[in-house]
Amino acid sequence: MEMKVDNVELTNIAVRQSQYPEDNKKEFLLVGRSNVGKSSFINSIIARKNYARTSSKPGKTQTLNFYLINNMFYLVDVPGYGYAAVNKTTQKKLGLMIEEYIKNRENLTKVFLLIDYRHKPMEDDVIMYDFLKYYNLDITIIATKYDKVPNNQKQKQDKLIKDAFKLSEEDSFIHFSSLTKKGREEVYNLINDSLNTEN
């Protein structure tokens, strides 16, 4: 079911727990490598052109950004990982900031782990997936840039991804393209299902 997004607001920009929203709405976390297309994913989901700024310079987001959608739920964008130009101290600080959120946030309903469909998942993608699994979080893998892979390669890419993460049939995996809108409805359905489920 298509979701009509009437209202989007970047309400909180946080680096620590005391700065998170306090209105107890459900939160959907977006994680992924710095250049995986998180901003394009957000813009596609909220049906806005440039609301989340896409940067030609990876590693730009260094805060937790809470986007309130339709006054009903939050998309939470966190700094991308695996970007070499961000120095080690900053990387560690960002890692701890994300970890604090993941470990302590009761409102966290679901995690969308974005990976680039064109490539084999990298080691830090798998580490992040295992880390999220360790905390028993509900994870959906979103394979972005689906339109960039020729049809005759797609079966091979699916196998690479499923093998890398050791996915079973039950694990949630969505092909996504912000260009063709493929996968957008599936993401909406997951969000709607989560919103309609009592914790």
Side-chain angles (χ1 to χ4, degrees):
M1 188 183 82
E2 197 73 3
M3 181 187 290
K4 191 169 179 331
V5 177
D6 296 315
N7 195 279
V8 184
E9 199 183 340
L10 175 56
T11 57
N12 296 64
I13 295 174
V15 293
R16 66 184 71 86
Q17 220 171 332
S18 59
Q19 297 168 323
Y20 301 166
E22 294 178 352
D23 53 6
N24 224 20
K25 291 178 168 58
K26 291 187 176 182
E27 293 170 0
F28 297 83
L29 177 66
L30 311 178
V31 294
R33 289 177 64 79
S34 289
N35 54 354
V36 78
K38 280 194 288 143
S39 299
S40 301
F41 176 79
I42 294 170
N43 289 330
S44 178
I45 294 304
I46 64 177
R48 304 285 191 279
K49 271 268 190 308
N50 296 309
Y51 196 91
R53 285 195 296 281
T54 48
S55 169
S56 55
K57 190 171 166 233
K60 203 165 183 309
T61 302
Q62 300 203 351
T63 51
L64 307 185
N65 296 338
F66 291 80
Y67 294 92
L68 178 59
I69 315 295
N70 287 349
N71 294 314
M72 286 170 67
F73 66 92
Y74 289 94
L75 286 180
V76 185
D77 185 22
V78 301
Y81 52 82
Y83 183 55
V86 175
N87 68 48
K88 286 279 180 280
T89 314
T90 307
Q91 274 181 17
K92 190 168 182 212
K93 199 171 80 186
L94 298 179
L96 289 170
M97 189 169 78
I98 295 168
E99 193 176 340
E100 179 186 42
Y101 173 81
I102 286 168
K103 280 163 69 172
N104 301 312
R105 192 61 168 162
E106 286 181 11
N107 304 38
L108 176 53
T109 304
K110 188 169 200 34
V111 183
F112 294 120
L113 172 59
L114 276 62
I115 60 166
D116 188 328
Y117 189 61
R118 297 171 301 179
H119 309 298
K120 182 182 177 197
M122 302 191 62
E123 188 189 2
D124 44 17
D125 293 320
V126 178
I127 289 169
M128 177 56 86
Y129 183 73
D130 291 342
F131 175 70
L132 296 166
K133 277 276 193 208
Y134 176 79
Y135 288 105
N136 294 319
L137 294 167
D138 181 4
I139 311 158
T140 295
I141 289 176
I142 307 280
T144 65
K145 307 180 189 182
Y146 181 74
D147 56 287
K148 304 276 194 295
V149 174
N151 285 334
N152 62 357
Q153 290 285 309
K154 285 179 172 161
Q155 205 171 349
K156 181 179 153 233
Q157 288 310 104
D158 283 352
K159 184 170 175 7
L160 273 178
I161 290 165
K162 286 175 178 169
D163 289 352
F165 293 111
K166 302 182 177 66
L167 296 184
S168 68
E169 286 306 309
E170 290 76 57
D171 288 317
S172 190
F173 170 45
I174 293 176
H175 297 124
F176 193 87
S177 164
S178 49
L179 201 70
T180 65
K181 308 288 180 271
K182 178 170 178 60
R184 189 163 79 166
E185 201 164 316
E186 289 171 78
V187 174
Y188 286 153
N189 288 339
L190 288 176
I191 291 172
N192 279 322
D193 289 349
S194 300
L195 292 175
N196 294 327
T197 307
E198 288 304 313
N199 283 345

